[in-house]
Amino acid sequence: VPADHTGSYTVSKEDCKAAYDGLSDEERTALTNIHDRVLRFAEAQRKSVTNMEIDIPGGKAGQTVSPCRAAGCYAPGGRYPLPSSVIMTAVTARAAGCKKVVLASPRPAKITLAAAYISGADLVLCIGGAQAIAAMAYGVHASDIGEEVPPCDVIVGPGNKWVTAAKSMVQGHCGIDMLAGPSEVLVICDGTADAEVIAADLIAQAEHDVVARAILLSTSQDMINKVDEAVSYQLSKLVEPNQATAREAMRQSFAVLCDSMDQCIEISDAIAPEHLEVQTENSQDVATRCANYGGLFVGANAAEVLGDYGAGPNHTLPTGGTGRYTGGLSVFNFLRIRTWMRIDDKAASQSMVDDSIVMARLEGLEGHARAAEVRSTSKTPAYREQ
């Protein structure tokens, strides 16, 4: 907990605003620009799914799209303050329409509080780890050391293994976005790529954590050699503690020389990386053929770091191969798509009634069949004939 908040586990909106106002013009501009781009993308996502209805025999059926009431957002604060994670989670929850947005971050730096302010967080908790997840999942009563924390319907955001374990335990009591593992980047390249650019991107991922992974797939041994040299040189120039973290992460990172671009794609799809960069002669063609990933970055200029800092799409992405069946954080994590049906013309609905009677008895569910029969205009419910 920062010195200014000793004795309290919550930070007021006024303190968050003061942190925002205390930024330099350059810092405030960057934060605002990132916020605006993420918000624009999230709002476009929200508009992409709408209420709808269709005709059914004798009536109507449809769906409604509505936000969850309260969202819990976790922003890591261990090795580095991550205001970008505040924006990615809280802004997305707001765009979805959540009425209450709670942010938790251990030892929040002033830039984290500033990000909470511009993102519209209603409440900031100065706690982290499993304790933060529990507080947001089950709620906390107001006391003389903090405001009331409402039980959150959905909890999102990356964290360490303790955060991930806690999210796995509360899943079911509330929703979660995903169980995130170590961060990872995979770069597909050929002999036309720029080794310095690739090396910089691999190091950018490696400095996240000692368990992060940076992977290179290439059809050119010469390019792999050049990237190795560039990584060694750029690592030697990296500041501490970032350099030590990146060097440790590089111990479990690797490069693969592939026989063809098809093999690069096959290996990449098997790994389903969190971040997939394609830096080849025909980057878009290769990218289109890739099937499994969290976020896709096409071409040498589409750096993964631009995705980290708010090009628009969310940077909270599936890791550990889960990109095979799910995507990254979006407004859809905070939305409920619920279906409904209504029968206005009983006579016109009889084809559905008849089908339901037949199917219920095929499944051996006699009670279901009779519930349909009682709505039939041509059949007598079986219980009346017994």
Side-chain angles (χ1 to χ4, degrees), residues 90-303:
V91 168
T92 305
R94 277 288 180 226
C98 297
K99 292 184 177 180
K100 191 81 171 180
V101 177
V102 178
L103 172 74
S105 187
R107 304 181 302 279
K110 289 190 180 298
I111 186 62
T112 302
L113 298 179
Y117 170 73
I118 196 173
S119 301
D122 295 296
L123 181 62
V124 176
L125 307 181
C126 300
I127 55 176
Q131 295 90 333
I133 301 303
M136 292 190 289
Y138 301 107
V140 180
H141 293 299
S143 70
D144 56 358
I145 59 171
E147 300 177 45
E148 179 181 4
V149 181
C152 295
D153 303 308
V154 179
I155 297 175
V156 303
N160 61 20
K161 61 184 178 181
W162 307 112
V163 170
T164 302
K167 286 171 71 175
S168 72
M169 293 174 70
V170 302
Q171 184 179 14
H173 177 79
C174 62
I176 64 169
D177 52 346
M178 65 189 77
L179 298 174
S183 193
E184 57 205 14
V185 66
L186 187 151
V187 180
I188 294 176
C189 74
D190 57 17
T192 67
D194 186 325
E196 286 191 20
V197 170
I198 293 174
D201 289 352
L202 297 176
I203 291 171
Q205 197 63 37
E207 75 171 346
H208 266 297
D209 197 285
V210 295
V211 293
R213 289 198 306 170
I215 302 167
L216 176 64
L217 306 180
S218 181
T219 54
S220 169
Q221 182 63 61
D222 183 55
M223 179 55 61
I224 291 175
N225 294 340
K226 288 179 179 178
V227 171
D228 278 344
E229 292 174 6
V231 167
S232 295
Y233 177 75
Q234 291 183 33
L235 272 177
S236 71
K237 302 296 183 181
L238 194 62
V239 298
E240 293 290 3
N242 308 56
Q243 182 180 147
T245 301
R247 285 189 183 280
E248 186 63 28
M250 284 296 179
R251 292 177 181 272
Q252 58 208 5
S253 300
F254 58 89
V256 179
L257 175 63
C258 300
D259 296 330
S260 64
M261 195 53 62
D262 286 342
Q263 188 177 46
C264 286
I265 294 169
E266 182 182 358
I267 294 173
S268 176
D269 282 348
I271 294 173
E274 178 186 13
H275 307 98
L276 172 59
E277 292 189 359
V278 179
Q279 300 187 30
T280 61
E281 185 175 8
N282 301 303
S283 294
Q284 187 59 65
D285 291 342
V286 174
T288 301
R289 292 158 57 197
C290 295
N292 300 333
Y293 50 81
L296 178 62
F297 305 85
V298 185
N301 294 323

Side-chain angles (χ1 to χ4, degrees), residues 64-85:
T64 60
V65 184
S66 59
C68 296
R69 177 187 57 85
C73 303
Y74 189 86
R79 292 178 183 274
Y80 315 104
L82 295 177
S84 57
S85 289

Side-chain angles (χ1 to χ4, degrees), residues 326-338:
T326 190
L329 180 66
S330 70
V331 294
F332 306 119
N333 290 95
F334 304 100
L335 296 176
R336 300 166 295 170
I337 300 178
R338 297 177 290 182

